[in-house]
């Protein structure tokens, strides 16, 4: 089959690799000048290298599985470094470092709350089970029907997976100290909803992070994109950068051609790794899976205000990853989901990769990435962005002990809601796709297959299995397999 893939983020690159490995002719169209989508990278004239998106390398086994499928190992392409501490959390009454070594983490838990070391063991053992079932079986389902989940192992596991419990209540069964609760709730923020609206199944995130460790690929997260791009090209996939797909044309209830940069090109099948909602706008309305009202009713994960900053001197007392949690998590979450406004007391995250990787900043300088979760669809003028930058810098300055931190900046670039829309056609500027609430899990996510066109498929963070780098990689594999099954079916029908 001649297959078109729209977009070259993690899911598009993954789909390209698996489809090419299966023997198909693969053509990848990317509207931007380099692969990666939200995981792009840029370099500045004064010597900084910034990853634009993902910075947490968790679930290393899932990423390694991808490379193993093609006869490679991650270390064939990049060097992984274990971060120790994994990250630091800043609270109003003190700081908390998460060590790489689990036994050390257990000791810290016990020092904060008597008996919590044993509770941590119990929590992590349950989380390990969920991880092994969830990340090895659940997430590889295309989710056409609930019947896919009626295997003996999954049926036997149903109670232990805590599908119907909420994450917050689940955590509070184990811990009572606010710092420990915040630490255990933090990973599910990546899933785009309040811990009270996330199924307890996702304690598997705690195992995938705290137990398996937090890593950094030297050179930046973009090294993973470069590696996947290389694998795809080695398998025969062809890439076209600065190529926008402007329309999806149909004939006889099938996609017939794509209009790319004004030229119509015929394909046997299309995999859309682009924003799901945007992809549907490229179709005639009668061929869309979902209405505009459907998208309006979805619960989206947040957008973000991001600042890429260069500082002209080293910043002391700062770890590779730092979470500023001096304020109430629920107040910030309510600003995102209920009030849909800029937060009054924001939490934010700081990444300083130059603490680990000297090549991402000039000698004697520091590379810092600030990220603050935001409601989707809000106004993000430059004056508002700057006001929140000042707030974040004040808190960062207090933490590191530098009074006039802003004066040390020698590079600054902001990125926010309107930029996500412009660069990725992201629905209302979302950064992470749909929230992984119970009502938006598995079969209740947007379908991987168009219901009216037999050869149009969707992959990425707005469909199964959901947001995050490992799920996006898995999503590409799921959909490439669905396209290959279509090809086999067509072949059987013609024989």
């Amino acid at each position: 089959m001649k297959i078109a893939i729209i977009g070259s983020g993690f899911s598009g690159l993954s789909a390209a690799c698996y489809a090419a490995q299966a023997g198909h002719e693969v053509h990848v169209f990317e509207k931007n000048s380099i692969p990666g989508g939200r995981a792009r990278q840029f370099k500045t004239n004064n010597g900084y290298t910034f990853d634009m998106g993902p910075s947490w390398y968790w679930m290393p086994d899932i990423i390694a599985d991808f490379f193993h499928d093609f006869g490679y190992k991650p270390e064939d392409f990049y060097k992984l470094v274990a971060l120790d501490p994994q990250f630091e959390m800043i609270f109003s009454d003190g700081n908390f470092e998460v060590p790489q070594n689990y036994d050390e983490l257990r000791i810290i838990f016990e020092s904060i709350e008597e008996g919590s070391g044993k509770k941590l063991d119990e929590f992590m053992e349950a989380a390990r089970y969920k991880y092994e079932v969830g990340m090895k079986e659940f997430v590889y389902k295309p989710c056409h029907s609930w019947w896919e989940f009626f295997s003996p192992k999954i049926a036997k596991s149903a109670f232990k997976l805590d599908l119907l419990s909420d994450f917050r209540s689940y955590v509070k069964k184990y811990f009572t100290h606010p710092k420990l609760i915040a630490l255990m709730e933090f990973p599910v923020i990546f899933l785009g909803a309040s811990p009270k609206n996330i199924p307890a199944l996702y304690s598997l995130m705690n195992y995938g992070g705290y137990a398996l460790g937090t890593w950094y690929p030297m050179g930046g997260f973009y090294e993973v994109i470069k590696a996947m791009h290389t694998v795809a090209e080695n398998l025969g996939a062809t890439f076209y950068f600065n190529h926008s797909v402007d329309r999806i044309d149909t004939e006889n209830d099938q996609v017939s051609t794509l209009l790319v940069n004004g030229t119509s090109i015929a394909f046997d099948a299309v995999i859309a790794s682009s924003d799901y909602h945007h992809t549907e706008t490229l179709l005639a309305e009668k061929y869309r899976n979902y209405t505009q009202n459907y998208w309006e009713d979805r619960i989206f994960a947040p957008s973000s205000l991001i600042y890429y900053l260069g500082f002209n001197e080293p910043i002391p007392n700062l770890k590779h990853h730092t979470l500023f949690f001096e304020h109430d998590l629920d107040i910030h979450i309510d600003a995102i989901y209920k009030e849909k406004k800029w937060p009054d007391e924001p939490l934010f995250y700081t990444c300083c990769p130059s603490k680990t990787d000297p090549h991402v900043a000039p000698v004697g300088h520091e590379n810092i990435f600030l990220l603050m979760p935001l409601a989707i669809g809000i106004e993000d003028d430059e004056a508002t962005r700057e006001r929140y930058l000042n707030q974040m810098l004040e808190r960062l300055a207090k933490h590191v002990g530098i009074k006039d931190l802003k004066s040390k900046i020698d590079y600054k670039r902001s990125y926010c809601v309107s930029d996500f829309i412009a660069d990725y056609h992201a629905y209302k500027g979302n950064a992470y796709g749909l929230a992984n609430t119970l009502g938006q899990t598995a079969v209740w996510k947007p379908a991987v297959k168009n219901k009216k066109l037999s050869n149009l498929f969707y992959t990425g963070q707005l469909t199964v299995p959901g947001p995050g780098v490992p799920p996006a990689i898995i999503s590409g594999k799921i959909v490439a397999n669905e396209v290959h099954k279509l090809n086999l079916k067509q072949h059987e029908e013609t024989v």
Side-chain angles (χ1 to χ4, degrees):
M1 294 178 80
K2 184 181 178 183
I3 299 172
I5 296 178
I6 308 172
S8 66
F10 281 107
S11 63
L13 289 170
S14 174
C17 291
Y18 287 106
Q21 184 187 50
H24 301 293
E25 179 185 335
V26 176
H27 300 263
V28 184
F29 299 99
E30 170 57 57
K31 74 182 285 289
N32 293 303
S33 61
I34 58 173
R38 285 167 169 79
R40 290 180 298 156
Q41 188 179 78
F42 72 92
K43 297 178 185 291
T44 71
N45 292 332
N46 58 342
Y48 293 100
T49 298
F50 290 99
D51 282 325
M52 295 187 70
S55 57
W56 289 80
Y57 197 108
W58 274 3
M59 304 185 184
D61 57 325
I62 303 297
I63 299 174
D65 286 346
F66 166 83
F67 289 107
H68 292 160
D69 283 347
F70 306 101
Y72 298 103
K73 303 184 293 294
E75 50 267 37
D76 292 333
F77 301 98
Y78 51 85
K79 178 183 177 183
L80 270 183
V81 175
L83 300 182
D84 191 11
Q86 298 187 45
F87 59 91
E88 184 173 19
M89 295 186 82
I90 310 302
F91 296 99
S92 58
D93 60 348
N95 308 339
F96 186 109
E97 291 186 6
V98 176
Q100 178 74 7
N101 182 280
Y102 176 80
D103 290 334
E104 292 177 19
L105 180 63
R106 191 182 185 282
I107 291 168
I108 291 172
F109 266 63
E110 189 65 30
S111 70
I112 293 174
E113 182 175 296
E114 187 177 352
S116 65
K118 183 173 183 294
K119 290 290 187 181
L120 180 63
D121 289 340
E122 295 170 1
F123 184 100
M124 283 299 184
E125 180 56 28
R128 181 192 62 79
Y129 184 84
K130 294 185 183 79
Y131 187 85
E132 290 176 353
V133 176
M135 292 306 295
K136 304 299 182 183
E137 295 200 30
F138 256 38
V139 297
Y140 285 93
K141 308 292 184 184
C143 297
H144 300 309
S145 162
W146 288 111
W147 288 108
E148 296 168 26
F149 296 92
F150 281 85
S151 72
K153 182 172 182 180
I154 292 176
K156 184 180 177 182
S157 304
F159 181 75
K160 292 172 73 174
L161 292 174
D162 291 298
L163 289 168
L164 300 179
S165 304
D166 74 88
F167 193 84
R168 172 157 292 170
S169 299
Y170 181 76
V171 169
K172 287 185 175 180
K173 289 179 182 177
Y174 291 88
F175 311 106
T176 60
H177 196 284
K179 284 185 180 178
L180 299 185
I181 291 172
L183 177 67
M184 301 310 281
E185 287 186 346
F186 152 66
V188 302
I189 294 173
F190 288 122
L191 302 177
S194 168
K196 61 189 176 186
N197 294 323
I198 294 285
L201 166 69
Y202 290 106
S203 64
L204 63 85
M205 294 279 288
N206 298 80
Y207 180 81
Y210 301 162
L212 298 184
T214 301
W215 303 78
Y216 174 79
M218 295 298 286
F221 218 110
Y222 194 65
E223 293 300 311
V224 187
I225 290 291
K226 287 163 60 179
M228 294 177 72
H229 179 220
T230 298
V231 172
E233 288 194 318
N234 289 348
L235 290 164
T238 304
F239 287 77
Y240 306 84
F241 300 108
N242 298 308
H243 279 64
S244 293
V245 176
D246 303 314
R247 194 174 67 232
I248 301 174
D249 293 318
T250 61
E251 186 178 320
N252 300 324
D253 294 332
Q254 286 191 322
V255 172
S256 55
T257 60
L258 297 183
L259 185 67
V260 183
N261 283 8
T263 300
S264 288
I265 309 172
F267 290 98
D268 299 313
V270 173
I271 296 172
S273 172
S274 44
D275 177 270
Y276 201 126
H277 170 268
H278 169 72
T279 302
E280 297 247 283
T281 68
L282 304 179
L283 289 163
E285 192 167 344
K286 66 179 180 178
Y287 291 120
R288 297 173 188 173
N289 273 353
Y290 304 104
T291 65
Q292 186 63 27
N293 285 340
Y294 170 88
W295 294 108
E296 291 288 340
D297 289 342
R298 298 307 92 192
I299 300 172
F300 276 80
S303 186
S304 296
L305 169 62
I306 299 170
Y307 268 93
Y308 310 101
L309 303 173
F311 290 84
N312 62 15
E313 64 179 48
I315 307 299
N317 307 315
L318 190 61
K319 303 297 185 283
H320 189 117
H321 296 302
T322 309
L323 301 164
F324 285 81
F325 268 55
E326 310 101 307
H327 302 309
D328 191 302
L329 171 63
D330 286 338
I331 292 174
H332 190 144
I333 286 173
D334 285 348
I336 294 172
Y337 294 107
K338 289 184 179 179
E339 300 157 15
K340 298 181 179 177
K341 66 170 190 176
W342 286 82
D344 294 324
E345 295 185 322
L347 311 181
F348 70 98
Y349 155 62
T350 298
C351 179
C352 186
S354 48
K355 292 296 182 188
T356 304
D357 186 352
H359 301 295
V360 299
V363 176
H365 291 230
E366 212 79 272
N367 173 321
I368 292 183
F369 168 108
L370 301 179
L371 183 148
M372 187 181 82
L374 277 180
I376 64 171
I378 60 175
E379 293 294 322
D380 64 339
D381 59 89
E382 200 59 43
T384 303
R385 297 185 189 193
E386 193 74 13
R387 180 159 55 88
Y388 279 87
L389 170 64
N390 290 336
Q391 286 189 37
M392 290 187 283
L393 285 176
E394 285 175 12
R395 288 157 65 184
L396 178 59
K398 179 181 177 182
H399 172 60
V400 301
I402 296 179
K403 287 185 178 180
D404 192 13
L405 190 58
K406 192 171 185 179
S407 69
K408 314 295 183 184
I409 294 174
D410 64 355
Y411 180 83
K412 180 176 71 173
R413 176 184 175 183
S414 66
Y415 202 92
C416 201
V417 176
S418 57
D419 300 297
F420 281 101
I421 295 171
D423 286 355
Y424 312 122
H425 298 299
Y427 181 75
K428 292 190 176 181
N430 80 85
Y432 306 106
L434 287 176
N436 265 1
T437 59
L438 182 59
Q440 294 181 165
T441 294
V443 175
W444 291 322
K445 284 191 184 294
V448 298
K449 189 177 186 301
N450 188 281
K451 300 169 185 176
K452 299 152 191 172
L453 301 166
S454 63
N455 61 344
L456 175 59
F457 301 81
Y458 307 85
T459 186
Q461 60 183 9
L462 287 173
T463 184
V464 295
V469 172
I473 292 172
I474 292 168
S475 183
K477 182 175 185 177
I478 291 170
V479 172
N481 187 51
E482 292 298 295
V483 175
H484 189 58
K485 285 194 288 187
L486 172 67
N487 181 57
L488 294 176
K489 180 182 177 183
Q490 290 176 342
H491 181 70
E492 289 171 0
E493 290 172 350
T494 57
V495 171

